[in-house]
């Protein structure tokens, strides 16, 4: 039963009880009662999880505690009451020793703007043995809000309340309720207009002024109706036309006085949800819909002939006759005659003709009944679109432009031959190992666009603040030599210091050696500019940073904000307000909880900046463990686009008060348990370091068990510790454990993290990251980690995961792509550029994984300028490295791959305690291993590799090198 129904029932039962005692509700108001129980309550501060709601939850074992003094605890009574006393209780258990609290009592009358004193400050003694830790403060006055102000507590560093009772008598006020909700027709079909009706009643003791009633279907407001003034006891009937609805079941609710313009005795009973759902049936007739589109090959090369198949279903009640199925892709339109499809049947249409794959990729749109010969019960579900990627890497919607390839006036920075990292080496951390430094006024970098654009992203570096913590500074944007606007650049999330390679051993405190020097700034522009436009970043007189280093820009034509989909309910319905700087977490959480509970069908995050300071999750009713680690399930969250619907946090996650989640997971983003779809939003964190050094860790954008049925698409995550961490250890609430299975991530844009981009762990299987981009991650951009913290180590092994058509740039720590154990995992069609210190792709058995088995496939990838030195600059890593630290790595296939301009070796077989038997390397080109060999077997490497069609050129230390002592066997050439 919905909570509003419960409250309505409670009100009815109370009235029955009063009448049986010979009292009417109005006359019963004369009896003083506790007015605080269950009412809204808030505090000026809290310590840990000792939140304000603990103080009037009816449980003396829970309590509120403030973070220092002075502090306030305010109970919102709803409307005026004549007060007699305030009772403050603490747990009477003797473990709560005697203490004295200094308290003032204040009140606010419902028409007043502020509080006045009802009882001046005094000291009150609490004693378990004396007064059972309960004191009563007599007060006289009329108030709608009651506030306690604390000035001291001899028993704790903050004010404490186990339970507060406010004793008084409500004064006459109206009280509006909705007594019934109904609809007509009683059993509509999807083509029938629906009328919603509500009975509104004033059960209060005074007249109510005119107001409105909002009607909702599936949680979305579908109309409002005026309701006139009502005398005490009066009723009125109001209706709205809700139009037609798609087939399905809808919760129907009505809310009177939604803006709270009328002061009432109880604002919590203004709504009613009908006990039964409105069922919309299917209208008679055919109805075709597209279920899916497949292509062959799935990731074609440029120039390949691609064929398609479209999966159709007739969800209607009668057969669909002859139609035409249309497939449009990259300017090509293919029409295919389609025969009859019976009611409820499915059919696969082999599309006539093929498409010649063009560079970059395209959108495939399949349409059923494309010529409109059928009269269908729903004409809005005939199309389906999805991306197809051609060649390697992601088909990103922006064009990237390198500063060194642009026109500039400034200093060109170029990396040294070893691409030295970690000693404030700007060029090493630059894309292509080059960037442009602007030292003086008038210097600039100018880019000429190849495509239309209305947005810009600038990868840049400006100085840190002298004491750390970063600065902000502007740079001037000119378009075709005309000034457009100032862009704000920031170093608040860059500049980590220290010469240690330990993941949590760096600091934000300035010193000689620095790394993670670059960050990004982005802006939507007021106008769209055509191809051939010149975008200039210029240092003008008012641009005050000591220097500006420009690495690259992205120019993108961003589509307008999407409209709210049918069936989705906006977070604004729950009180969220865009762009106001206030925390919207509670509104977002309530919307997600209602979706999870079936109250609404989908959560809509409109265009705007929405502040989020707590993780969105499921409150654990059993309070298992120190931290709440129960994720959301059966939820759909949609936004207007990653450039438009943006969540952001300002508070350092570890320091956020009232947070429920584990510190390393942070207090932003979403905790997911299963069957969750999130699309077209951005999640911007506030991280500045990976652990340590003041607990400023950024947390995780998306984390949890993930389970089955989860799909994440077009989500931008930035300044997190980790973008996405898939999996939880089995011993973390064992009854909820389950691995991620069949997960889909696509169109992800993960930037500037302090650790991993996306990590599949804890037995994740059958899951995919596709067509996504990663830049400046602080650990593996993509990883499969078959860790041992699972239910059954013989079964729960990470397997059959796929990293397909992704673009990875500039990981400043660890790998582009890594696999640690498992079987059947595939790394295909990816582009990896400019790793600082580790391989572009690595298979390894460090991190104590479950064993490798079966096959691990590395195919059709290209690696540019990968590899480097790490761990005290003592270990050199190849662009592709196999590292069997303590377990073997069997079944490796490397094929159809290019390894170009590696810092050290092209392919490296590393010394370890395990073997690498029967590695198959086919059709691989290795060119320009700058400081190493084409293929290197280290002295302690064991195993064998067979080379077929391998070409190696321009290697500094030889094409194929086996170090002395190595037993590794290399066959073929």
């Amino acid at each position: 039963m919905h909570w509003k129904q419960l409250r309505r029932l409670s009100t009815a039962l109370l009235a029955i009880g009063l009448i049986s005692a010979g009292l009417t509700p109005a006359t019963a108001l004369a009896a003083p009662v506790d007015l605080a129980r269950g009412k809204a309550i808030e505090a000026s501060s809290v310590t840990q999880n000792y939140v304000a709601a603990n103080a009037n939850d009816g449980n003396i074992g829970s309590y509120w505690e403030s973070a220092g003094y002075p502090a306030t605890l305010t109970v919102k009574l709803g409307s005026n009451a004549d007060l007699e006393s305030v009772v403050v209780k603490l747990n009477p258990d003797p473990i709560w020793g005697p203490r004295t609290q200094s308290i003032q009592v204040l009140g606010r009358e419902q028409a007043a703007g502020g509080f006045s004193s009802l009882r001046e400050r005094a000291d009150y003694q609490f004693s378990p043995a004396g007064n059972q830790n309960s004191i009563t403060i007599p007060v006289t006055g009329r108030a709608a809000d009651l506030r306690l102000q604390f000035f001291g507590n001899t028993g704790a560093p903050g004010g404490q309340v186990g339970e507060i009772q406010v004793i008084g008598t409500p004064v006459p006020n109206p009280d509006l309720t909705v007594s019934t909700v109904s609809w007509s027709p009683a059993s509509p079909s999807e083509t029938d207009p629906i009328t919603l009706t509500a009975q509104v009643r004033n059960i209060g003791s005074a007249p109510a002024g005119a107001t409105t009633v909002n009607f909702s279907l599936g949680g979305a407001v579908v109309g409002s109706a005026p309701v006139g003034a009502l005398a005490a006891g009066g009723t009125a009937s109001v209706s709205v036309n809700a139009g037609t609805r798609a087939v399905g079941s809808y919760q129907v609710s009505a809310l009177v006085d939604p803006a709270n313009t009328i002061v009432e005795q109880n604002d919590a009973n203004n709504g009613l949800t009908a006990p039964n759902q409105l069922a919309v049936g299917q209208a008679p007739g055919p109805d075709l819909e597209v279920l899916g589109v497949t292509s062959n090959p799935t990731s074609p090369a440029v120039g390949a002939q691609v064929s398609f198949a479209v999966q159709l279903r007739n969800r209607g009640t009668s057969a669909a006759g002859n139609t035409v199925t249309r497939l449009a892709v990259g300017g090509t339109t293919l029409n295919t005659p389609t025969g009859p499809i019976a009611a409820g049947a499915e059919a696969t249409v082999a599309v006539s003709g093929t498409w010649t794959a063009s560079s970059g990729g395209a959108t495939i749109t399949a349409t059923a009944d494309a010529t409109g010969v059928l009269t269908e019960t729903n004409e809005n579900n005939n199309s389906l679109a999805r991306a197809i990627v051609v060649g390697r890497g992601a088909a990103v919607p922006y064009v990237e432009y390198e500063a060194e390839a642009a026109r500039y006036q400034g200093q060109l920075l170029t990396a040294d031959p070893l691409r030295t990292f970690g000693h404030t080496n700007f060029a090493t951390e630059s894309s292509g190992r080059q960037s442009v430094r602007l030292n003086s006024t008038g210097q600039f970098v100018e880019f000429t666009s190849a495509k239309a654009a209305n947005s810009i992203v600038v990868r840049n570096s400006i100085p840190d603040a002298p004491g750390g913590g970063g600065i902000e500074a502007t740079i001037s944007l000119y378009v075709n030599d005309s000034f457009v606007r100032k862009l704000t650049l920031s170093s608040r999330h860059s500049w980590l210091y220290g010469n240690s390679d330990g993941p949590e051993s760096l600091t934000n405190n300035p010193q000689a050696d620095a790394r993670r020097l670059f960050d990004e700034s982005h802006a939507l522009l007021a106008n769209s500019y055509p191809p051939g436009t010149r975008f200039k970043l210029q240092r003008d007189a008012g641009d005050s940073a000591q220097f500006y280093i420009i690495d690259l820009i992205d120019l993108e034509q961003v589509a307008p904000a999407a409209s709210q989909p049918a069936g989705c309910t906006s977070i604004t319905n729950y009180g969220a307000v865009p762009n106001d700087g206030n925390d919207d977490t509670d509104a977002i959480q309530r919307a997600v909880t209602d979706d999870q509970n079936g109250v609404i069908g989908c959560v809509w995050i409109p265009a705007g900046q929405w502040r989020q300071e707590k993780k969105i999750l499921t409150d654990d009713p059993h309070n298992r463990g120190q931290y709440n680690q129960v994720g959301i399930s059966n939820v759909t969250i949609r936004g207007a686009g990653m450039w438009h619907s943006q969540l952001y946090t300002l508070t350092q996650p570890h320091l956020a008060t009232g947070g429920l989640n584990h510190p390393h997971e942070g207090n932003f983003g979403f905790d997911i348990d299963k069957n969750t779809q999130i699309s077209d939003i951005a999640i911007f964190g506030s991280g500045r370091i990976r652990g340590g050094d003041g607990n400023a860790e950024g947390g995780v954008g998306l984390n949890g068990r993930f389970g089955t049925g989860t799909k994440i698409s077009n989500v931008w995550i930035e300044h997190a510790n980790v973008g996405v961490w898939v999996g939880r250890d089995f011993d973390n609430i064992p009854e909820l454990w389950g691995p991620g299975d069949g997960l889909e991530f696509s169109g992800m844009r993960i930037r500037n993290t302090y650790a991993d981009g996306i990590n599949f762990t804890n037995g994740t299987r059958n899951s995919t990251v596709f067509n996504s981009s990663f830049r400046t991650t602080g650990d593996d951009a993509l990883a499969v980690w078959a860790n041992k913290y699972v239910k059954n180590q013989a079964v729960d092994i990470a397997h059959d995961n796929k990293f397909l058509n992704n673009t990875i740039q500039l990981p400043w720590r660890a790998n582009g792509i890594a696999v640690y154990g498992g079987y059947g995992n595939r790394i295909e069609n990816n582009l990896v550029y400019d790793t600082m210190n580790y391989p572009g792709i690595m298979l390894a058995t460090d991190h104590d994984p479950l064993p490798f088995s079966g096959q691990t496939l590395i195919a059709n990838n290209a690696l540019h300028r990968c590899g480097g030195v790490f761990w005290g600059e003592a270990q050199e890593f190849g662009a592709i490295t196999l590292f069997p630290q303590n377990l073997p790595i069997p079944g490796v296939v490397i094929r159809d791959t290019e390894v170009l301009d590696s810092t050290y070796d092209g392919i490296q077989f590393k010394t370890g305690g395990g073997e690498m038997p029967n590695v198959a390397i086919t059709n691989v080109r290795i060119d320009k291993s700058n400081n190493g060999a084409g293929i290197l077997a280290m002295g302690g490497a064991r195993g064998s590799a067979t080379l077929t069609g391998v070409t190696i050129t321009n290697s500094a230390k030889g094409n194929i090198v086996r170090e002395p002592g190595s037993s590794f066997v290399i066959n073929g050439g």
Side-chain angles (χ1 to χ4, degrees), residues 828-909:
E828 296 184 78
N829 309 320
N830 302 285
L831 291 172
V832 185
Y833 299 92
D834 297 305
T835 60
M836 298 297 106
N837 44 51
Y838 250 52
I841 297 175
M842 184 165 81
L843 310 183
T845 58
D846 53 350
H847 306 303
D848 194 28
L850 295 167
F852 279 91
S853 62
Q855 185 187 88
T856 302
L857 176 63
I858 302 172
N860 198 35
N861 303 285
L863 295 86
H864 300 258
R865 300 176 297 276
C866 291
V869 296
F870 211 51
W871 301 117
E873 303 182 7
Q875 294 191 33
E876 298 174 357
F877 289 92
I880 297 177
T881 296
L882 274 59
F883 179 29
Q885 183 188 50
N886 51 16
L887 292 170
I889 304 180
V892 177
V893 174
I894 303 172
R895 61 173 172 82
D896 306 319
T897 289
E898 292 180 303
V899 183
L900 307 175
D901 199 7
S902 303
T903 304
Y904 288 93
D905 309 309
I907 297 176
Q908 182 187 86
F909 299 102

Side-chain angles (χ1 to χ4, degrees), residues 68-407:
Y69 310 104
T72 60
L73 182 69
T74 305
V75 183
K76 297 182 178 297
L77 306 178
S79 62
N80 276 347
D82 291 327
L83 305 182
E84 296 184 5
S85 63
V86 179
V87 180
V88 182
K89 298 181 179 182
L90 296 175
N91 193 330
D93 192 296
I95 196 171
W96 282 68
R99 66 200 63 209
T100 299
Q101 299 198 73
S102 180
I103 304 172
Q104 180 185 13
V105 184
L106 304 98
R108 186 194 66 81
E109 200 269 341
Q110 66 186 32
F115 285 81
S116 59
S117 181
L118 301 179
R119 193 78 175 189
E120 291 303 319
R121 173 179 174 177
D123 291 339
Y124 297 93
Q125 296 180 349
F126 295 79
S127 170
N131 58 14
Q132 294 295 297
N133 264 353
S134 176
I135 60 104
T136 299
I137 306 174
V139 295
T140 301
R142 177 171 288 186
D145 295 333
L146 189 285
R147 173 174 290 173
L148 301 182
Q149 184 158 344
F150 292 79
F151 300 92
N153 182 354
T154 61
Q160 295 173 309
V161 176
E163 285 293 307
I164 181 174
Q165 297 176 337
V166 179
I167 308 302
T169 304
V171 302
N173 264 305
D175 191 6
L176 294 173
T177 65
V178 177
S179 56
T180 63
V181 180
S182 59
W183 55 86
S184 65
S187 299
S189 76
E190 57 193 323
T191 58
D192 294 326
I194 300 168
T195 299
L196 304 178
T197 301
Q199 294 290 330
V200 180
R201 184 182 179 194
N202 178 6
I203 64 171
S205 52
T211 183
T212 59
V213 177
N214 280 356
F215 290 86
S216 296
L217 283 177
V221 175
V222 295
S224 297
V227 57
L230 287 176
T235 61
S237 178
V238 295
S239 299
V240 299
N241 183 349
T244 59
R245 296 288 136 177
V247 173
S249 295
Y250 300 84
Q251 286 198 321
V252 183
S253 59
L255 178 68
V256 64
D257 192 32
N260 288 328
T261 58
I262 296 175
V263 177
E264 303 180 60
Q265 292 172 355
N266 184 2
D267 279 325
N269 64 353
N270 285 21
L272 178 68
T273 297
N276 300 314
Q277 292 194 335
L278 164 62
V280 178
Q282 192 162 327
D287 187 21
L288 291 177
E289 62 179 349
V290 180
L291 298 180
V293 182
T294 57
S295 58
N296 184 25
T298 55
S299 296
V302 174
Q305 295 301 304
V306 185
S307 60
F308 302 92
V310 178
Q311 293 77 48
L312 300 180
R313 177 173 63 186
N314 179 7
R315 61 177 286 276
T317 60
S318 60
N322 293 323
T323 60
V324 171
T325 300
R326 176 172 296 157
L327 187 137
V329 55
T332 298
T333 300
L334 305 172
N335 291 321
T336 305
T338 303
I341 302 175
E346 296 183 7
T348 297
V349 178
V351 176
S352 302
T354 60
W355 170 63
T356 302
S358 57
S359 178
T363 298
I364 307 169
T365 302
T367 304
D369 187 28
T371 56
V373 297
L374 286 182
T375 300
E376 301 181 69
T377 58
N378 185 349
E379 299 285 358
N380 298 317
N381 63 350
N382 284 18
S383 292
L384 178 71
R386 74 165 183 85
I388 184 170
V389 179
V390 177
R392 297 168 174 149
V396 294
Y398 52 84
V399 179
E400 188 172 294
Y401 302 85
E402 295 283 350
E404 64 270 22
R407 189 174 78 91

Side-chain angles (χ1 to χ4, degrees), residues 544-556:
S544 58
Q546 180 185 2
F547 61 80
Y548 297 79
I549 298 175
I550 307 301
D551 181 27
L552 58 82
I553 68 168
D554 297 332
L555 296 177
E556 178 179 354

Side-chain angles (χ1 to χ4, degrees), residues 7-23:
R7 288 195 171 176
R8 177 172 173 266
L9 179 59
S10 299
T11 302
L13 292 174
L14 174 62
I16 293 170
L18 294 172
I19 293 169
S20 66
L23 300 171

Side-chain angles (χ1 to χ4, degrees), residues 635-867:
V635 170
T636 299
I637 300 166
R638 300 179 65 179
M642 63 169 66
W643 276 91
H644 300 290
S645 300
Q646 300 187 336
L647 306 178
Y648 72 97
T649 179
L650 297 177
T651 307
Q652 293 298 327
H654 277 183
L655 307 180
T657 57
L660 294 174
N661 213 286
H662 191 284
H664 291 299
E665 294 169 359
N667 281 291
F668 78 113
F670 297 84
D671 190 332
I672 298 170
D673 263 7
K674 64 178 180 180
N675 192 31
T676 293
Q677 290 79 48
I678 302 177
S679 60
D680 300 299
I681 65 170
I683 303 171
F684 294 147
S686 61
R688 298 185 181 181
I689 200 167
R690 176 174 174 170
D693 196 34
N695 293 329
E697 184 175 316
V700 184
L702 302 174
N703 62 268
R705 298 172 182 86
F706 282 81
T708 58
T710 294
K711 296 181 180 180
I712 312 295
S713 61
N714 304 324
V715 174
W716 183 349
I717 301 175
E718 192 157 353
H719 297 147
N721 194 41
V722 174
V724 181
W725 188 270
V726 177
R728 284 201 187 280
D729 295 353
F730 172 66
D731 62 6
N732 174 232
I733 316 181
E735 62 268 30
L736 297 182
W737 189 83
D741 192 345
L743 313 179
E744 296 180 17
F745 293 87
S746 63
M748 304 295 289
R749 189 177 300 189
I750 295 182
R751 302 278 188 270
N752 304 304
T753 65
Y754 300 88
D756 302 64
I758 298 178
N759 193 310
F760 286 169
T761 187
N762 294 100
T764 301
R765 62 206 57 184
N766 306 311
S767 297
T768 304
V769 180
F770 167 69
N771 196 30
S772 297
S773 64
F774 303 79
R775 193 156 64 207
T776 321
T777 57
D779 213 311
D780 302 330
L782 287 169
V784 173
W785 179 26
N787 75 28
K788 294 179 177 178
Y789 313 118
V790 294
K791 183 176 182 179
N792 184 341
Q793 294 184 5
V795 174
D796 299 318
I797 302 173
H799 66 85
D800 293 297
N801 299 297
K802 300 178 288 294
F803 298 143
L804 307 176
N805 287 101
N806 302 292
T807 297
I808 295 165
Q809 298 171 277
L810 296 152
W812 63 269
R813 188 182 188 282
N815 306 280
I817 303 175
V819 175
Y820 307 100
Y823 63 89
N825 297 301
R826 295 161 49 193
I827 302 168
E828 296 184 78
N829 309 320
N830 302 285
L831 291 172
V832 185
Y833 299 92
D834 297 305
T835 60
M836 298 297 106
N837 44 51
Y838 250 52
I841 297 175
M842 184 165 81
L843 310 183
T845 58
D846 53 350
H847 306 303
D848 194 28
L850 295 167
F852 279 91
S853 62
Q855 185 187 88
T856 302
L857 176 63
I858 302 172
N860 198 35
N861 303 285
L863 295 86
H864 300 258
R865 300 176 297 276
C866 291

